[in-house]
Each structure stands twice: as C-alpha cells, then as structure tokens.
Amino acid sequence: MSAPTHTGLPFDDIRQLVSTMPGPDAAAREMAEARQSDLLKPPGALGRLEEIAIHLATWQAKGMPTADRPMVAVFAATHGIAERGVSPYPGAVTKQMVAAFTDGKAAVNQICASFDAGLRVFDLALDLPTPDITQDAALDERACAATIAFGMQAIAGGADVLALGEMGIGNTTIAAALCHALYGGTPEEWVGAGTGATGEILERKVAAVREAIAFHGAALSDPLEILRRVGGREVAAMVGAILAARIERVPVVLDGYVVTAAAAVLHAMDPSALDHCLAGHVSAEKAHARLLEKLGLKPILDLGMRLGEGSGAALALGVVKAAVATHRGMGTFSDGGVSNKA
C-alpha cells in the first residue's frame, strides 16, 4: 500500500510516529548472543527460550534483558455489529466481563497472578457501541486517532514487557473484516466461530463481513482508513499500545485473533512495525494461524485456547520470564568449573 501524502489530518501524527520508530539495538543483541553462547549448555539446547531472551535484549536495548514488571493490558469496547446476531452472546456480556476482570474473577486474573504480572483494564466507552460497520464507519478520523493515542497509555507505569488482550462481543467479526480488507480472499476464509458461532449465527457473521467490505468499497485502500471504517475502539487502542511500546522499547506479547488483527494494521503501514512483538499463542480461531503466517510471527504456545481477554498472551509471559531467568541466572563456561566442547 502506498503511503498517503501529508494532509494535516489527525492520522498524519500516527503516520509520522510509524515512520520514526526505533529499530533493534545491535549492540544489545550482540551482548545477549555472546552470553547465550557462553551459558552452561550446548548451543541451541534451550531452543525458543534462547531466541526469546535475545529478542527481549535487542528491543529493550539491554545486554541483560528483564521481565520484572510484565503488564497485561486488556482493552474492552462494544460494537453495533453485535446487534446483528453475529455472536451467541449478547453485547451486554462485554460490560459484565469487564466487571469480572475488576473483581478478579476472570481467567486472565488467575493467569496474571500465577506469573506475578500486572493487569490493567481499559474501558473504551462501553455504553456507546460503535455503529454497525455494514452501514457506517466505526469511527471518524479524529476519534480513531484519539483512540490510538489513548491506547498509548498502556505502557504508563514502567512495564518492561507488555502483553495485550481484548474484550468485546462481536469483535471477531471486526477482526475478520479487518483481515478481509487488508488481505482479500473471501469472508469465509477469515470468519471463525469466535465465542461459539455455528449454523445461522455463523452465516450471519460471514454475511456481515461481506456486507461491510462491500459497503466501504474503494475507501478500504489505506490501513488507517480500514481501521477507522471496519475496526473498533479496542482495536484502535491496541494499535496505539503496540506503537507506544515500540517507541519506548518495550517488547510486546500478542494474544489471539483480534489482537493480531490490530497488529496487522501497523504491519500494513510498515512491515517492520511488529519486529518488537512476539506471538503469545495461536488460538483455535481458524484464521489466526493464517494471519500469524502473513505477519511472519511464530507463536510461543499452541494450547487450543480461544478465550481472548489476553489469556494466551498472559500464559506466554511464563515462558518469557523463564527465558529471561535462564539467560540471567545460569552459570557460564567462562566462570570455570565446566569444560566447554573441544
């Protein structure tokens, strides 16, 4: 997709931030690789743990990576498309689940507690659903840019690793529309069961995606236009969170299909925009694996999860923390006492 010319419109600030993102820290990467090669193990014996430790060091710009203050940020929003019966659950469940997060009763609360990770929940105007995307744009440009900016607050407080999650009945329909607009194909290729859609509900979901893309038509030529037209508030906010994390050198762990669809918007703007991200898991939502492949992301976990709310990303934080612990805490051949290979 070609870069739009500067117009002075709200999206210009977002495009400017994307164009000035910092790259990997080569010196930190070299330090991390050197330490990995000296740890008390055969080269490559810790597999993906080694890659993750080096990845964190590279993007944190630290020779010794940290995962002392992992944060899970969950963004919640409501969608007019839910009124079309695209989910087995009513839209009211979004607000009820946010209350469960606040009360510490959701799955993500328990997983965060298991790995000593913080949890922040962002309520994005839950009483004001975005319009039905088959009939109108989800957001205007100013509101979309402001929501991206709001999402940048996710890293406030000094997290050294950020995991992203979401909550919003109807938002796997939104994710499917985003992916269909970005990558083409058919609606059926991008629509899945979500919270358990089958039969007529699944048919309505496919029809909603098809109608949304037809309604917005030729306007879907730019990633940010796609976001504002067929996205949602939580998706826009997660775009901001990923972008802010990159600017502040905070590695990001992505959750499932909806979070990855938000990431895809940035990837469409700049293929290097997700280089600081890890895919926490591949969900059971059928299009998620396909989307990860398009983004060049290899999931840490594959446990058949499809809950959302950041649960898969939060669980992957356990692996991330173990990767950092082994990198930092193991002895080295240079310390003496163990013979290296001849």
Side-chain angles (χ1 to χ4, degrees), residues 2-14:
S2 59
T5 57
H6 188 82
T7 62
L9 294 171
F11 280 155
D12 285 347
D13 289 340
I14 308 303

Side-chain angles (χ1 to χ4, degrees), residues 141-154:
E141 181 168 337
R142 186 174 299 280
C144 188
T147 307
I148 293 172
F150 178 80
M152 298 179 80
Q153 299 179 34

Side-chain angles (χ1 to χ4, degrees), residues 259-279:
V259 174
T260 310
V265 173
L266 283 169
H267 185 267
M269 297 177 71
D270 182 338
S272 72
L274 305 182
D275 287 358
H276 63 305
C277 296
L278 296 166

